[in-house]
Amino acid sequence: MTIFLQSLISGILIGGVYALIGIGLTIIFGVMRVINFAHGDIMMIGMYLTYNFFSLAGVDPFVSIALTIPLMFLFGAILQKTFINRVLGALPQNQILLTIGLGLIMSNTMMFIYTSDYKILTTSYSSSSFNIGTISISWPLAISFLITAAITLLLYWFLMKTDTGQAIRATAQDREAAQLMGINVKRMSILAFGMGAALAGTAGALISPTYYIFPQIGSTFTLKAFVITVLGGMGSIVGATIGGVIIGVAESLGAVYISSGWKDVVVFVLFLLVLLFKPAGLLGKSKM
Amino acid sequence: MRQINALITNTRGASPVSIILGVVILAGLFLFPKAVESPYALHIMILFFLSTIMGESWNIVGGYTGQYSVGHAAYFGAGAYTTMVLMQFKQIPPWYGMIAGIAVALVVSLIIGSICFRLRGPYFVLASIAVAEIMRLCAMNLKDLTNGAEGILATDIPPFTLGGTVITDFLSKVPFYYIGLVIAILTIAVTYLVQHSKLGYYFQAIREDQDAAHSLGINLSIYKNIALAISAVFTSLAGSFYAIYIGFIDPPTVLALDISVQIVLICIIGGIGTIWGPVVGSLVLVPLSEALRSNLIAQGIFKIGLASEESGVGIFLKDHLAHAHALIYGILVVVVILFMPDGVLGYVKKLTKKKAM
């Protein structure tokens, strides 16, 4: 029972970070109907940023997100303006291939600079943990979960209460109608991609103390992000949050009860099953 | 048979010049190993054939039927692993391994087709990737069967015959040259037959408008599955051929997402849904990635004098440029999608049309 609870809780904690990646992807899809295959690579860039802040200036990874978030936002906004914007009306496959290409450029540029060696970011608290009853919880995971929760709540508030947030949601619901209502749709797209990149980058920063950092890590997370968003229903933020936690728990339980080598298979099988039986996702066809 | 005759006699409007050119090129290709003995030149040609086979195969399901599979590594890996496991662990000659590989790839394509073809557009792309990833993870984890992450190195090669001669060692590249050439010609011929048959028209109707095709009585799932099966057979052949030729396979080299992307890339760069697109794509990609891999480009930069070999920049280029082919692939995809969405072939056509006007 302890083992079960233990893996359940660490699954939920890591699921929170996964949710962040998924929410980023889902916002981009919601506003632009573009599936961003470079999402995991954007997250990887966030990891390297955090690694550099830490190794060059000694900035704590959790503190450095104050820098990572605006930088990644800028990065995403530039990507949208220079590349994605040009294929908004193109065939979905061309959009997919373009983002795959961008992802290849990102991961291989990083490999060019940092080689494919694994980098490890070890903080003083990387392996420390605390106990609740018989269950031990790792500090870095707990902190990143709290930060994730705070960011997610802030995001909700932004999307629900602010004018810009409402404009973004309106664009997601109906691009043309939003434009007719005087919403600057182009600006919303840039904002959405910037936010998506910032969220992915933040997720990268948050997991960097607990993961190996290497240029090719992105594609795994791109796929994971899809599984998460498809599970929750493409374009739904609540769905992505739930999807993230489900995937985190499935992985964590899979690793304990099957084997760590097979845990990703569990995730993909789950994904195919959802695609087959509930292609609109667990939450149906909800919009943002 | 009538169709094959038609292929030979009726050239469907091809000009005599292009027929003569075709015959000359074909003769040149068959005589090439007689004239050129350099193993490196043969190696480049073999890679070119391999790339053409992979591109043409994807083209049938991706280009003609419009189903963008980004999971073709599944079939490539199926062929490579089946052939290699049978050859290395069971001493079964690679010819039979190739056939077994095709059988496995067909089964995989049926499974993938029946799951994924219910999905459309981006969902199909995602599902195809997921299935290929599952296969990669299986190859990693089923250590007893596949040696896991270590991969399989061909050391116990059973002798096999080719055109009457028994091949016991894989040292000469000439046999592989001819095997590659024949399979490449075969895939191009099949693509030609498909394009000009009723089957191919069904495929293209599905690509243009699924719902319209369906309402005309075309059974979408059957024809999509047929397209995928044809595609899987040849991709698997390419995988088997690769495994025997290189003599080593592991999950990252035959089952990774990169392979699937490369296969798609061959077609996008050349021109999707055309017979010669994958050939043109291979003509661009193979020399380029080989030049990078063998550090030819770095050597070139030193020769022109842009950087000296001992300088910091020189050492950096020498160390890194060899691994840069994936970076160049990425840049090529972005450039092609943004500036020549119809590939090199489409771009050239547009240019010549403009000139004619």
Side-chain angles (χ1 to χ4, degrees):
Chain A
M1 195 59 195
T2 311
I3 296 171
F4 176 76
L5 278 178
Q6 176 88 54
S7 47
L8 186 70
I9 286 182
S10 59
I12 291 172
L13 293 182
I14 194 74
V17 184
Y18 285 175
L20 216 51
I21 309 173
I23 293 171
L25 189 74
T26 228
I27 289 180
I28 292 173
F29 180 79
V31 172
M32 277 171 283
R33 302 284 135 184
V34 167
I35 297 190
N36 176 25
F37 267 82
H39 207 65
D41 298 293
I42 292 176
M43 187 211 78
M44 175 271 304
I45 289 184
M47 289 178 97
Y48 271 101
L49 267 184
T50 314
Y51 173 79
N52 278 334
F53 284 137
F54 183 76
S55 64
L56 298 177
V59 185
D60 183 277
F62 293 122
V63 177
S64 71
I65 58 170
L67 291 165
T68 315
I69 291 177
L71 282 175
M72 293 306 293
F73 181 88
L74 203 66
F75 181 64
I78 293 170
L79 273 185
Q80 204 287 334
K81 206 155 164 47
T82 34
F83 298 106
I84 313 294
N85 204 18
R86 291 161 180 260
V87 293
L88 281 187
L91 293 168
Q93 39 268 41
N94 280 13
Q95 301 170 343
I96 291 169
L97 293 172
L98 178 75
T99 53
I100 288 181
L102 290 174
L104 275 175
I105 294 176
M106 286 178 218
S107 60
N108 287 288
T109 306
M110 289 324 239
M111 199 161 97
F112 212 74
I113 302 172
Y114 295 98
T115 73
S116 52
D117 294 346
Y118 285 22
K119 303 254 187 281
I120 305 168
L121 196 163
T122 322
T123 55
S124 53
Y125 50 82
S126 268
S127 53
S128 67
S129 58
F130 61 93
N131 289 326
I132 299 177
T134 50
I135 298 160
S136 96
I137 294 166
S138 114
W139 268 113
L141 272 187
I143 300 171
S144 57
F145 184 80
L146 287 178
I147 295 176
T148 308
I151 292 175
T152 314
L153 288 176
L154 204 67
L155 191 72
Y156 271 115
W157 172 81
F158 172 76
L159 286 173
M160 295 297 162
K161 299 289 177 203
T162 65
D163 286 347
T164 319
Q166 281 176 345
I168 289 178
R169 284 195 296 139
T171 313
Q173 261 172 22
D174 191 332
R175 216 177 157 80
E176 274 174 23
Q179 190 150 27
L180 291 175
M181 290 297 159
I183 291 171
N184 187 340
V185 171
K186 276 195 173 149
R187 208 174 130 246
M188 292 311 135
S189 300
I190 296 176
L191 263 179
F193 211 93
M195 277 162 57
L199 289 169
T202 311
L206 292 178
I207 60 168
S208 56
T210 37
Y211 269 81
Y212 289 115
I213 302 166
F214 58 101
Q216 258 67 40
I217 195 172
S219 57
T220 327
F221 277 92
T222 302
L223 288 174
K224 234 171 241 180
F226 282 127
V227 180
I228 290 161
T229 43
V230 169
L231 210 61
M234 276 279 189
S236 153
I237 293 182
V238 183
T241 314
I242 298 171
V245 175
I246 292 177
I247 292 304
V249 170
E251 252 187 35
S252 170
L253 293 180
V256 170
Y257 290 100
I258 302 169
S259 85
S260 65
W262 289 104
K263 70 174 186 186
D264 287 332
V265 178
V266 175
V267 173
F268 289 128
V269 169
L270 204 66
F271 174 59
L272 285 177
L273 289 176
V274 172
L275 275 183
L276 272 182
F277 295 110
K278 226 169 171 322
L282 295 177
L283 294 191
K285 260 205 152 116
S286 59
K287 291 267 171 65
M288 288 166 70
Chain B
M1 200 56 215
R2 222 179 60 217
Q3 227 150 13
I4 295 171
N5 279 334
L7 180 67
I8 298 162
T9 53
N10 173 12
T11 45
R12 287 173 208 267
S15 66
V17 179
S18 60
I19 296 170
I20 294 169
L21 199 70
V23 171
V24 169
I25 290 176
L26 212 59
L29 283 172
F30 272 99
L31 293 174
F32 186 81
K34 303 262 188 292
V36 181
E37 279 173 4
S38 148
Y40 187 64
L42 288 179
H43 174 69
I44 300 283
M45 291 303 286
I46 292 169
L47 292 183
F48 168 68
F49 297 146
L50 191 70
S51 164
T52 302
I53 301 164
M54 285 153 76
E56 294 285 350
S57 335
W58 185 85
N59 211 10
I60 289 175
V61 70
Y64 288 104
T65 321
Q67 306 299 308
Y68 273 57
S69 153
V70 189
H72 259 52
Y75 315 113
F76 189 77
Y81 263 101
T82 311
T83 310
M84 200 67 156
V85 165
L86 291 178
M87 185 168 87
Q88 176 68 16
F89 300 142
K90 304 272 181 244
Q91 290 294 301
I92 293 171
W95 291 131
Y96 301 105
M98 276 186 162
I99 295 165
I102 289 175
V104 174
L106 271 176
V107 172
V108 173
S109 87
L110 269 179
I111 297 170
I112 293 185
S114 57
I115 298 175
C116 300
F117 281 140
R118 300 205 215 158
L119 305 160
R120 286 187 180 193
Y123 291 103
F124 172 73
V125 175
L126 293 175
S128 69
I129 295 178
V131 176
E133 276 297 291
I134 290 175
M135 284 187 55
R136 183 182 67 85
L137 292 164
C138 286
M140 289 287 277
N141 287 304
L142 294 171
K143 291 197 179 70
D144 295 337
L145 185 69
T146 63
N147 253 359
E150 263 175 57
I152 307 172
L153 179 68
T155 49
D156 295 321
I157 301 159
F160 67 108
T161 50
L162 175 71
T165 48
V166 180
I167 297 173
T168 43
D169 67 72
F170 282 12
L171 293 177
S172 168
K173 293 194 190 299
V174 178
F176 289 104
Y177 179 93
Y178 285 111
I179 299 172
L181 178 59
V182 168
I183 303 176
I185 292 173
L186 192 69
T187 34
I188 294 174
V190 166
T191 309
Y192 186 92
L193 287 179
V194 165
Q195 192 185 26
H196 295 99
S197 66
K198 207 166 149 188
L199 196 63
Y201 298 140
Y202 284 169
F203 291 170
Q204 290 166 63
I206 292 173
R207 177 187 66 195
E208 294 309 320
D209 190 334
Q210 288 200 33
D211 299 312
H214 183 66
S215 69
L216 287 174
I218 297 174
N219 186 325
L220 292 181
S221 69
I222 286 182
Y223 285 100
K224 285 180 185 175
N225 271 308
I226 292 174
L228 187 64
I230 299 173
S231 185
V233 164
F234 287 102
T235 312
S236 159
L237 261 180
S240 303
F241 180 62
Y242 172 89
I244 307 163
Y245 176 58
I246 302 290
F248 172 75
I249 55 166
D250 66 349
T253 49
V254 298
L255 276 168
L257 185 62
D258 287 7
I259 311 293
S260 304
V261 175
Q262 270 179 40
I263 295 177
V264 183
L265 202 55
I266 299 164
C267 292
I268 322 175
I269 287 185
I272 282 179
T274 59
I275 290 177
W276 298 108
V279 179
V280 173
S282 306
L283 276 175
V284 174
L285 280 178
V286 171
L288 184 71
S289 63
E290 265 320 287
L292 286 166
R293 226 191 294 262
S294 58
N295 252 338
L296 265 181
I297 289 184
Q299 300 297 342
I301 290 172
F302 301 146
K303 238 178 214 159
I304 312 169
L306 282 177
S308 87
E309 211 167 334
E310 292 78 31
S311 70
V313 180
I315 292 166
F316 181 81
L317 286 177
K318 239 189 344 199
D319 288 351
H320 289 71
L321 224 47
H323 307 292
H325 62 276
L327 177 62
I328 308 288
Y329 278 11
I331 294 172
L332 278 176
V333 182
V334 172
V335 169
V336 169
I337 295 283
L338 290 182
F339 300 107
M340 4 176 184
D342 296 320
V344 172
L345 218 56
Y347 189 72
V348 170
K349 245 180 218 160
K350 219 164 74 185
L351 282 184
T352 49
K353 235 184 218 164
K354 260 188 200 155
K355 261 187 198 154
M357 277 156 75

